[in-house]
Amino acid sequence: MSFGAGVPTVAVADLKDGDFLLDVREDDEWKAGHAEGALHIPISEFVARYGELTEAAPQDGRVHVICRSGGRSAQVTMYLAQQGVDAVNVEGGMQVWEAAGRPVVTDDGQPGFVL
């Protein structure tokens, strides 16, 4: 699935442990299951909560943006790029993450699922 030219992307298989991950799905999706250690800022609140990202993201590191399938994260990736942030869209989102066998957990560390 392609969301337009010019959106930098990365495959789930190319992500390494410790890469900074920003999940922009909504609260119900996050509660069902997410990548452990990801920062959660729903796209609907993103601009208002932008400061949380700048505080949490590595100074000279890359922000890997993820949603369910890649559409919302592509929008946030483009916004971040316009702000001068090194950001990439995680291709296929949490659906591909889960299909690749990457762990999906709930807030209490139990196994989760992608909603």
Side-chain angles (χ1 to χ4, degrees):
M1 192 176 291
S2 176
F3 294 98
V7 179
T9 61
V10 64
V12 167
D14 293 333
L15 293 173
K16 297 168 190 60
D17 289 343
D19 281 345
F20 185 83
L21 195 62
L22 169 66
D23 190 323
V24 297
R25 296 175 302 147
E26 296 302 322
D27 287 337
D28 59 334
E29 295 171 288
W30 171 264
K31 288 176 183 165
H34 54 269
E36 190 170 8
L39 173 65
H40 178 230
I41 304 176
I43 191 171
S44 61
E45 303 170 13
F46 188 76
V47 174
R49 294 177 57 190
Y50 180 73
E52 292 177 41
L53 172 66
T54 59
E55 287 180 21
Q59 285 298 93
D60 295 319
R62 175 170 279 176
V63 176
H64 301 83
V65 188
I66 197 165
C67 66
R68 183 172 185 266
S69 63
R72 291 172 286 179
S73 54
Q75 293 175 45
V76 171
T77 299
M78 290 306 293
Y79 175 82
L80 291 173
Q82 291 169 355
Q83 309 307 310
V85 175
D86 180 10
V88 293
N89 186 29
V90 178
E91 198 169 22
M94 286 299 295
Q95 290 178 320
V96 171
W97 177 278
E98 184 178 50
R102 296 272 184 131
V104 177
V105 298
T106 60
D107 282 336
D108 61 3
Q110 297 299 310
F113 62 95
V114 176
L115 184 64

